Amino acid sequence: MPVSCYYHDMANLQIKNMPDTLHERLRRHARENNSTMSAVALTAIERELARWEWRKRLAQRPETDLGVEAATLLMEERARRERELGDGIRP
């Protein structure tokens, strides 16, 4: 069996059947950010996995009953802030 010219201690990922338009967008994004396509893809995968893990942790938290709708609390807070700012006109 032939021996490889170099040793990889990391896994490789190949993406098959990538639409040409997506491939070109990835290439353009990498070029405009002085990066490689691999680095952009790894960053995107890492970000997506972090989001997935966060949503998973959030789903495991118990629900909190505020006793009032969150939209009502938001409207009350906005009204309080407007009163503090005076007439509501900002520079």
Side-chain angles (χ1 to χ4, degrees), residues 54-64:
W54 183 85
R55 286 190 296 263
K56 191 174 176 182
R57 285 192 313 272
L58 182 64
Q60 293 172 350
R61 292 181 53 113
E63 289 187 19
T64 301

Side-chain angles (χ1 to χ4, degrees), residues 1 9-10 12 16 20 23-24 29 32 34 37 40-41 44 51 53 62 64 70-71 73 77 81 83 86 91:
M1 174 167 276
D9 60 346
M10 294 181 152
N12 289 304
K16 296 182 180 185
D20 289 339
H23 187 265
E24 184 52 38
H29 178 78
E32 289 178 8
N34 297 319
M37 292 172 60
V40 171
R51 287 180 185 152
E53 291 163 348
T64 301
L73 292 174
E77 183 58 26
R81 186 184 65 210
R83 284 191 304 274

Side-chain angles (χ1 to χ4, degrees), residues 69-81 83:
E69 292 290 322
T72 302
L73 292 174
L74 183 58
M75 288 188 309
E76 289 173 0
E77 183 58 26
R78 285 180 176 161
R80 183 193 63 76
R81 186 184 65 210
R83 284 191 304 274

